Amino acid sequence: MDDVTEERATQDPAAEGRAAEPLTQHIQRISRRIRAFDHRHPLVWDLHLTGFWVTAALIDYYGGGWLNVARDRDNPGWLVLALSLGLSIPLLGRRAHPRAILLALAPLALVNAWTGIALQAVMLQLLVVFHIALRRPARNLWWATAVITAPVAVMAARHPQGGPDQDIAPVLMSIAVAAAIGITVRTRRDYTEALEDRARRLEIERDQQAQLAAAAERARIAREMHDIIGHNLSVITGLADGGKYAAAKSPERATQALNAIATTSRQALGELRRLLDVLREDEQTRAPNPELTPQPTLTDLTQLIEGVRAAGLPVHTTIHGSPTPLSPGRQLTVYRVIQESLTNTLKHAGPGTRAHIELLYEEKGAVTATVTDTGNADPDRTARTPRGRGRRGLPGMQERTALYGGTLEAGPRPHPEQGWRVHLHLPEESPQ
């Protein structure tokens, strides 16, 4: 009881549904409380245990009980009293220094055997053997057995009573039992410590997984914010520039540009509001709702292209096949790649630029999207390659593409053609 540190309640998933008996639960609670108290105040238990055995030794001496087992009764009383106290008081340090205590008891046990007093207090050495088995390597049990058995052999030789086997065999069996109990308690303690260590490591791993998930979510939100704000602000900027130049010559075109700016702004605000609702949900419940996340599909491409055209960029589309087999995640990837490509064209291509989108839908979810424009490949456009640090455009597109094992190429069109080209290919979906 005093030899096991405080155990934490450890339950496996299979045992959660099994309720223990009330009596068992009561005993376990009391046992845990006693162990916890002993762990906090070890000296209290040591004093009680040592005091109990000292009292028993004194009762054995003053009551004359030792005379019933003594093999030589002609020994002075002071020697019997000294051996009684000497074999019991050292138990106070049995937990901290079991080997030293056993070696200190060995001379007293030898005197006890040589004189034939044969005090039963000599059996208290078994408590020390228990602590050696509990706290020290198992090889210590060999010499401990020799230290305890040697005085018994001396007594069997000097004061024979029956055969030597009747003296030595019971002692050896007692040593084996004490060592077995110590090893069993030690095994249980080590197993409990291993479970606690595993629980701690699982908690650390859980926290790390939560941090990684939070980082991934922040990256996803950053991409969504870039897609929403970057695209819509580029469209609004193009419309504002066009409306400024058209205001003097054609007020009607300027009015149309202002209306388009208002529509695009409302759309951007709506998407940002839904995204902020997701963030607010994360802070309150730590359980994000994916349904609130703005996730366009390929059916929204028409609205996207119309908005870009309204900003002054002519866009032509060519579609082969049907996007029906595509999963929502793949549709979002294709949509974001096209959106980012058109946004970059609006920002960097220059006046007089035309864009072309070609979509090829194959069976089993394979899709190819190519976005080209006729703009100038200026240095700013070259900086938009995935190697550019601190940019979330094309690197974010590549991350989305990699989720589905696809490839993404972005760069100037081959000579003599002029402009920029973004090519996306997503392979067939793997069977689930």
Side-chain angles (χ1 to χ4, degrees), residues 11 13 28 39 58 82 84 90 102 116 119 124 138 151 189 194 271 280 287 301 307 322 352 366 379 392 420:
Q11 297 180 342
Q28 289 176 349
H39 182 68
L58 293 176
S84 298
L102 184 62
L119 289 175
L124 294 177
R189 182 191 63 185
E271 293 183 356
R280 208 160 23 244
L301 272 179
S322 172
R392 298 189 180 272
W420 201 263

Side-chain angles (χ1 to χ4, degrees), residues 239-240 243 251-266:
L239 290 170
E252 295 180 358
R253 295 292 300 274
T255 302
Q256 293 176 359
L258 291 175
N259 291 333
I261 290 174
T263 302
T264 304
S265 301
R266 291 191 189 95

Side-chain angles (χ1 to χ4, degrees), residues 416-429:
E417 295 179 341
Q418 190 176 20
W420 201 263
R421 174 180 178 271
V422 177
H423 179 75
L424 166 71
H425 175 70
L426 299 181
E428 297 180 356
E429 291 192 82

Side-chain angles (χ1 to χ4, degrees), residues 185-203:
V185 175
R186 179 175 187 165
T187 302
R188 176 180 173 83
R189 182 191 63 185
D190 293 343
Y191 177 71
T192 302
E193 291 177 353
L195 290 180
E196 292 176 354
D197 181 67
R198 181 173 179 269
R200 283 192 295 268
R201 286 188 283 107
L202 288 177
E203 290 177 359

Side-chain angles (χ1 to χ4, degrees), residues 108-118 150-156 158-159:
L108 300 176
L110 185 59
V111 172
N112 179 64
W114 184 269
T115 58
I117 297 177
V152 178
V154 171
M155 185 168 58
R158 281 184 54 83
H159 307 280

Side-chain angles (χ1 to χ4, degrees), residues 380-392:
D380 289 335
R381 301 199 70 189
T382 305
R384 293 182 292 127
T385 61
R387 296 185 182 89
R389 290 183 174 268
R391 299 180 179 271
R392 298 189 180 272

Side-chain angles (χ1 to χ4, degrees), residues 301-321:
L301 272 179
T302 302
Q303 182 179 1
L304 172 68
I305 294 173
E306 289 178 355
V308 174
R309 287 172 178 166
L313 175 64
V315 181
H316 178 69
T317 59
T318 303
I319 300 177
H320 305 282

